[in-house]
Amino acid sequence: MENPEQRDQDKTLICDPTQINATQENEKIIEWEDFGHELARLWSLTSALKEANEKKLNLQEKLQYFIQVKTESLTRLNELEEMRERLVARKVMIGNMSTHCKVATEDAKKQEKMLSTELRSWLVAGTSLSVARKRLQESNRTLNEKRGYIKLKNMQRKLRARQQYMISQVSLLYPVKILVGPAQEQELESYPSSSRLGNSSVSKPINCGTLTILGLHLTMRPFTKMSFFTDKKEVQKSATALGYVAHAVSLIASYLQVPLRYPLRLGGSCSYVNDNVPPAGPTTLDFSWKTPLSATVKPVEFPLFLKGQDTTRAAYAIFLLSKDIEQLLNFIGEDSLGPRHLVANLKELLRCVQSSEFIDTS
């Protein structure tokens, strides 16, 4: 059965004269003699086209293979690059670990040296402790006898007699005396003539005794009201008297072998008192038992003079010096007359040490 589209196309070819003329022009008339040659030529062309198509397919396959190989090689290169980056990161990490290991090794060696030093010190301390224990046992064995106790008492009396002699030299070096006369100015302290008045302090009336040290006495006025019109000589005398007191207290403490709670830095009329102020922030419970006291306490100096200083700091320095004298009085079993009785407390300390009861005290 004939296709309708083919029929319409044939009709178009028959009806369209232009197409008929074009077909006639493209047609090539071949002679019968040349037909064989033409057919052979067409056959060779067909064979060549077939070979070209086969080569094309082969080239396409090879190209596809090369593209696949290139893609795989790029993938392998990316993987190698990632592995190289990981290797570099591993090397860096190993280098850091080796550095940390070296630091840890050095720290371990330092700690080992410190521990060995501490161990040696502990061994020495243990040896010293064992020797001291043997001596203590021998001393106890000696003291259990009557002769040993008597010998100890005699040694104590000799020691106290020696201390009394040395402190009497201090009293000769810095004599504390009472001057009787009219009081021209408000004194820092008043000395009770007959009995102790505890912490009370009264102003001196006329003809009442004024305590002096090496001829100088302390006045309260510069420490309570410092102004431009304050007498410079009066300020200098007070500073000199405080320097005398500080030196006397330092000598007495060394002779009695008493470490002062507030250490002194002697400098004549420019002496200082140190107050070990605890650091602000953490409490004392936060410090380790291995931390030394000097590392946790910061000393603060307070001046015992007024030249170029704050009056409040100077007054606090006098208070600390009075506390040092009170510490020495308590050490020998006496009470203080009060923090305002600076020279009076020093005189009382000298009097008690030079009395006969000091030697007889066990």
Side-chain angles (χ1 to χ4, degrees):
M1 186 174 181
E2 189 178 0
N3 192 0
E5 294 180 358
Q6 185 69 29
R7 189 185 305 118
D8 295 335
Q9 187 177 3
D10 294 339
K11 290 180 180 180
T12 305
L13 290 174
I14 296 171
C15 296
D16 193 356
T18 57
Q19 292 183 357
I20 295 172
N21 294 329
T23 302
Q24 291 178 353
E25 290 178 357
N26 291 330
E27 288 181 355
K28 184 178 180 182
I29 299 172
I30 301 173
E31 298 293 334
W32 180 254
E33 291 82 3
D34 299 330
F35 178 75
H37 296 287
E38 191 69 24
L39 184 62
R41 188 178 67 83
L42 291 175
W43 180 258
S44 62
L45 289 175
T46 304
S47 299
L49 181 62
K50 186 177 180 180
E51 290 176 1
N53 290 331
E54 290 177 356
K55 289 181 180 180
K56 181 180 178 181
L57 291 175
N58 291 331
L59 289 174
Q60 287 180 352
E61 291 177 358
K62 290 180 180 181
L63 183 61
Q64 189 68 27
Y65 174 73
F66 288 147
I67 292 173
Q68 185 177 358
V69 170
K70 187 67 174 179
T71 304
E72 291 179 357
S73 63
L74 289 176
T75 306
R76 297 268 180 93
L77 287 175
N78 293 332
E79 292 177 355
L80 288 174
E81 188 66 26
E82 292 178 359
M83 292 176 66
R84 187 179 293 109
E85 291 178 357
R86 292 177 185 174
L87 182 61
V88 171
R90 290 281 181 86
K91 287 182 179 179
V92 173
M93 184 177 65
I94 291 173
N96 294 333
M97 290 179 65
S98 63
T99 304
H100 289 309
C101 288
K102 289 180 181 179
V103 173
T105 304
E106 292 178 357
D107 292 340
K109 289 181 179 178
K110 291 180 182 178
Q111 290 182 1
E112 185 179 359
K113 290 181 181 178
M114 292 175 61
L115 288 175
S116 62
T117 305
E118 291 182 1
L119 183 60
R120 291 194 208 97
S121 63
W122 279 110
L123 291 175
V124 173
T127 306
S128 303
L129 182 61
S130 62
V131 173
R133 182 178 297 174
K134 290 180 181 179
R135 290 180 181 175
L136 181 61
Q137 290 175 357
E138 293 176 359
S139 301
N140 290 332
R141 202 178 300 114
T142 306
L143 287 175
N144 288 332
E145 302 176 359
K146 188 175 181 179
R147 292 173 56 186
Y149 180 74
I150 294 173
K151 187 177 180 180
L152 176 64
K153 295 294 292 184
N154 291 333
M155 291 294 294
Q156 288 180 347
R157 288 177 61 85
K158 289 181 180 179
L159 177 61
R160 286 187 173 270
R162 184 62 179 173
Q163 290 175 341
Q164 187 182 65
Y165 172 76
M166 297 298 293
I167 294 174
S168 66
Q169 298 300 310
V170 176
S171 67
L172 294 176
L173 182 63
Y174 296 110
V176 180
K177 297 181 180 180
I178 301 177
L179 294 181
V180 179
Q184 300 295 332
E185 50 198 10
Q186 183 183 4
E187 300 296 333
L188 178 66
E189 56 188 311
S190 60
Y191 181 70
S193 58
S194 60
S195 62
R196 296 184 181 181
L197 300 178
N199 293 333
S200 62
S201 178
V202 295
S203 300
K204 293 182 184 297
I206 298 177
N207 295 328
C208 182
T210 300
L211 284 174
T212 63
I213 178 170
L214 205 61
L216 299 177
H217 63 275
L218 299 175
T219 59
M220 189 66 182
R221 184 179 301 171
F223 297 95
T224 57
K225 187 178 180 181
M226 186 71 176
S227 63
F228 180 76
F229 301 99
T230 303
D231 189 4
K232 305 299 181 182
K233 293 183 178 180
E234 180 182 349
V235 173
Q236 185 63 32
K237 287 181 180 179
S238 298
T240 305
L242 288 172
Y244 292 160
V245 174
H247 191 201
V249 170
S250 178
L251 291 175
I252 295 171
S254 64
Y255 297 152
L256 294 178
Q257 296 180 353
V258 177
L260 294 176
R261 185 176 294 109
Y262 304 104
L264 300 170
R265 185 165 72 86
L266 301 177
S269 60
C270 296
S271 301
Y272 290 86
V273 182
N274 291 328
D275 185 11
N276 294 323
V277 180
T283 60
T284 55
L285 296 177
D286 296 333
F287 296 108
S288 173
W289 65 274
K290 294 183 180 180
T291 305
L293 183 62
S294 60
T296 60
V297 176
K298 180 181 180 181
V300 179
E301 288 187 338
F302 293 92
L304 286 169
F305 56 94
L306 287 173
K307 185 177 179 180
Q309 302 292 333
D310 184 16
T311 56
T312 305
R313 292 175 61 85
Y316 186 66
I318 296 175
F319 173 76
L320 296 181
L321 181 59
S322 178
K323 283 296 182 181
D324 284 339
I325 301 176
E326 181 180 354
Q327 179 187 358
L328 296 175
L329 283 169
N330 295 335
F331 177 75
I332 62 175
E334 299 294 333
D335 295 330
S336 172
L337 300 175
R340 291 175 60 85
H341 298 275
L342 186 67
V343 183
N345 282 328
L346 179 60
K347 182 175 179 61
E348 182 68 13
L349 177 62
L350 294 172
R351 185 193 68 80
C352 293
V353 171
Q354 296 181 77
S355 64
S356 60
E357 290 83 1
F358 177 76
I359 298 179
D360 295 333
T361 302
S362 57

